[in-house]
Amino acid sequence: METIAARVLESWPPRLGRWQQVSLSIAAGVVGFVAVLATMVADTELAVVQVVALALGIGTAVSLAMWAPVAGWALGLAALAAASVLTGPQAELWVDPMLTSYFIVLGVGAVRAGARAAAGAWAATVATGIGLALWLRPAEWLVGILGASAVSGLVLSTVIAVRTVGVTSNSLRRERDSTERQRQLTSLWEERARIARELHDVVAHHMTVIAIQAEAAQHSDRNLAPATSARLDTIRNSATVALSEMRHILGVLRSGDATLLPQPTLRDLTALVETVRGGGTHITMTLTGDTSKVPDAVGLSSYRIVQEALSNAIRHAPGAPVEVTVVVAEKAIDIRVANPCATVPAAGAGHGLLGMRERATMLGGTFSAGAGDAKYVVAASLPLHNGRIDAAR
């Protein structure tokens, strides 16, 4: 039983949509109307018109109490008093079917009303009972006043207490969810800090060693060929740039501010190609179209696709010429990177092709890579405008 009660309180109060609330209030009103109508016809000698009016009043009060508790209580109490007046002096102060229905109206309204409004409704019920007793003077007026006062107070206090427990449970649930989110965020920052430490201890260290050794090699042998010296200089510069970007990445991991990491665009493709050429690779690049109108997300993905395609070409076909073609059209950017086949990358051999495909798919574009006509071609088409790009921006 404790488990069932805990689950009930955990989901209380239930969240209903507007149409669900409207449907529920109408159904409750209809049930109240039918119940009072059937009972009053059987237990009283009132005219049918009077019974229908009283039943309609109670049914409307039930529906109204779900939206405007005070108005529903007032209408229900008025219908209750009218029933006592219409039945005339009798042994009891209240008409039982009407009193029972009125208690339901009180309970329904208490779900939304506060404790102060509920206290006012209880006081109004007691005052109405006293007024009717003084006017009608039924034989058991004191029992009627005490009974109505006790039951109405019990109904109101019970519903208010349950609603308070439900609100408290809801607040505790939100607090628990917030604590869990905070715990997950803390774990995320701890994991980022761990990754940052590992990157600093391993990758950044090796990049520094590469840059130092490349520079030392240039000065240790004065008879180096100019081409060799230029390649060593390219290695040193590339290592220095990589080390700088690594430090930016470490800053992002530690602070969570992605703006610390500069994002390349299509305008940086020329510098990228020149850097790769400095390593001895012959590259022919053609860039056509207006790059100023390219969204940042598309420009970044285009740059990364070309960068990864060049890395794959150098890795699998070292020394072979590479053709890079980027066309900025009205609706899309078409990218093509081709080089003579040397060794075709095996399926699943690395993450480069997967990363390029994901970048294209994320923006709603297309991607293909494969060998044909003695060439290995990487091709991608990225749309310039769609919902995914706007969201990425």
Side-chain angles (χ1 to χ4, degrees), residues 114-129:
R116 186 172 299 179
W122 180 82
T125 302
V126 175
T128 301

Side-chain angles (χ1 to χ4, degrees), residues 208-221:
T208 302
V209 171
I210 291 173
I212 293 174
Q213 289 182 346
E215 185 173 5
Q218 286 181 296
H219 294 86
S220 62
D221 188 354

Side-chain angles (χ1 to χ4, degrees), residues 71 297 351 358:
H351 299 285
E358 288 180 347

Side-chain angles (χ1 to χ4, degrees), residues 203-239:
V203 181
H205 168 72
H206 288 298
M207 297 306 300
T208 302
V209 171
I210 291 173
I212 293 174
Q213 289 182 346
E215 185 173 5
Q218 286 181 296
H219 294 86
S220 62
D221 188 354
R222 300 295 182 181
N223 297 321
L224 284 177
T228 303
S229 179
R231 290 183 181 180
L232 287 174
D233 189 58
T234 300
I235 292 174
R236 182 184 62 81
N237 291 335
S238 298

Side-chain angles (χ1 to χ4, degrees), residues 104-320:
I104 295 175
V105 174
L106 288 177
V108 171
V111 173
R112 283 184 172 270
R116 186 172 299 179
W122 180 82
T125 302
V126 175
T128 301
I130 294 175
L132 289 174
L134 294 176
W135 183 13
L136 302 176
R137 299 183 181 277
E140 299 181 3
W141 62 271
L142 183 58
V143 175
I145 293 176
L146 294 177
S149 301
V151 176
S152 61
L154 180 63
V155 169
L156 290 170
S157 59
T158 301
V159 175
I160 291 293
V162 171
R163 186 174 67 88
T164 302
V165 172
V167 171
T168 303
S169 176
N170 202 10
S171 177
L172 291 175
R173 184 169 63 250
R174 289 195 300 268
E175 184 66 25
R176 185 176 64 250
D177 293 341
S178 177
T179 302
E180 177 62 21
R181 288 193 298 270
Q182 185 62 38
R183 186 192 67 79
Q184 294 176 357
L185 185 60
T186 301
S187 299
L188 173 63
W189 288 119
E190 291 176 352
E191 181 65 14
R192 283 185 172 185
R194 184 186 66 80
I195 296 174
R197 288 193 298 268
E198 291 183 358
L199 287 173
H200 181 271
D201 295 341
V202 180
V203 181
H205 168 72
H206 288 298
M207 297 306 300
T208 302
V209 171
I210 291 173
I212 293 174
Q213 289 182 346
E215 185 173 5
Q218 286 181 296
H219 294 86
S220 62
D221 188 354
R222 300 295 182 181
N223 297 321
L224 284 177
T228 303
S229 179
R231 290 183 181 180
L232 287 174
D233 189 58
T234 300
I235 292 174
R236 182 184 62 81
N237 291 335
S238 298
T240 303
V241 172
L243 183 61
S244 176
E245 292 189 358
M246 181 63 64
R247 287 171 178 165
H248 282 296
I249 293 174
L250 294 179
V252 172
L253 289 174
R254 287 169 176 161
S255 68
D257 186 3
T259 59
L260 294 174
L261 186 62
Q263 302 297 324
T265 63
L266 280 179
R267 291 184 294 273
D268 300 309
L269 275 181
T270 302
L272 172 65
V273 171
E274 289 299 329
T275 300
V276 179
R277 282 174 178 164
T281 302
H282 179 72
I283 302 176
T284 302
M285 187 183 75
T286 303
L287 174 60
T288 59
D290 186 2
T291 61
S292 63
K293 297 181 181 180
V294 177
D296 293 340
V298 181
L300 173 61
S301 293
S302 301
Y303 179 93
R304 294 303 186 195
I305 289 174
V306 173
Q307 184 182 43
E308 184 61 33
L310 289 175
S311 298
N312 286 345
I314 295 172
R315 184 183 305 113
H316 298 287

